[in-house]
Amino acid sequence: MLEVLQDSDATYRHEGVFDRSLLTVTYSVNLDEHDARVRAGRREIREEFLLAALLSVPEDQLGKVSPRFERVLRKADSAHLATSLEDPEGGLWAQRRAQPAVDVRSIEITSTSLKRGCSVAHRWAGYGPRTITTSASVSTFELTEASHYGIGLQMPDGECVMMPAAFVPQRWSSARWRFAELVYGQFRDLND
């Protein structure tokens, strides 16, 4: 179920299964990117290698493409994601046009115990702030461990026992962008 949290800044929440874990993800949609994709008939980008290639080229000017990514950026289905120019002396130059379609604001894991929740939350460390909701009793050691790894704790009634650590990524990674694309794909499935 898709829940609209704030229509003004396109913030949504829905539950989804990601990598065999049931998560509640809160995210904002990049409306410009979403509108461009809808107009072009494009959906989520699933190939992580393509996302890595896109991240390797600048978005504000042409840049030399690494030989590692030339083949994928020369494909016809990459033409709507980046502008590419052949260098007369060999090689390829490109400028990225595609952007991540969503920005993940939080990841909530509902678990039978804090220990189990932490093991799931560790898989999502590079994707957004993580909070575990559990009704099980929590030991001081488990609480200390969750705090050490920046994982928040919330009770089923909404009481926040511990806030998650601030999530301040230095840059997009291809894995983080791929996760955003998976969330975007589910957003599209719920809206189409």
Side-chain angles (χ1 to χ4, degrees):
M1 179 179 94
L2 181 66
E3 179 182 357
V4 179
L5 298 179
Q6 293 179 340
D7 216 5
S8 60
D9 72 346
T11 302
Y12 301 90
R13 174 184 297 150
H14 74 265
E15 288 183 347
V17 176
F18 300 98
D19 198 22
R20 298 186 325 256
S21 299
L22 180 62
L23 308 174
T24 302
V25 180
T26 303
Y27 56 95
S28 59
V29 176
N30 177 337
L31 293 176
D32 292 336
E33 181 69 15
H34 172 65
D35 291 342
R37 290 185 187 199
V38 169
R39 280 192 310 274
R42 290 183 280 128
R43 294 190 52 88
E44 70 271 17
I45 304 165
R46 294 178 180 240
E47 188 182 339
E48 190 170 346
F49 188 74
L50 174 57
L51 295 170
L54 292 170
L55 285 171
S56 75
V57 297
E59 60 184 293
D60 55 350
Q61 63 185 2
L62 282 171
K64 181 91 168 118
V65 175
S66 165
R68 176 179 179 219
F69 297 123
E70 284 183 11
R71 186 168 159 248
V72 71
L73 290 177
R74 280 191 168 104
K75 290 183 178 179
D77 59 346
S78 299
H80 61 279
L81 304 172
T83 301
S84 300
L85 296 171
E86 293 286 337
D87 189 329
E89 297 176 12
L92 186 69
W93 291 71
Q95 178 178 347
R96 177 168 44 105
R97 291 195 319 258
Q99 300 296 320
V102 302
D103 184 30
V104 174
R105 301 273 177 97
S106 69
I107 301 168
E108 301 164 32
I109 299 123
T110 302
S111 181
T112 55
S113 71
L114 184 59
K115 182 177 181 177
R116 168 81 177 112
C118 281
S119 71
V120 173
H122 287 314
R123 288 186 270 170
W124 305 104
Y127 305 100
R130 301 150 299 149
T131 301
I132 297 168
T133 300
T134 186
S135 58
S137 61
V138 178
S139 73
T140 305
F141 176 78
E142 290 173 325
L143 197 58
T144 303
E145 180 183 18
S147 174
H148 175 76
Y149 290 109
I151 300 168
L153 175 62
Q154 180 175 304
M155 294 294 119
D157 64 2
E159 176 193 356
C160 182
V161 175
M162 184 170 55
M163 292 294 294
F167 181 71
V168 187
Q170 299 299 311
R171 63 181 183 82
W172 279 91
S173 67
S174 58
R176 182 171 163 230
W177 193 352
R178 182 175 178 273
F179 179 66
E181 292 293 327
L182 290 172
V183 171
Y184 178 67
Q186 290 194 350
F187 169 77
R188 291 289 300 268
D189 288 344
L190 292 168
N191 277 311
D192 292 345

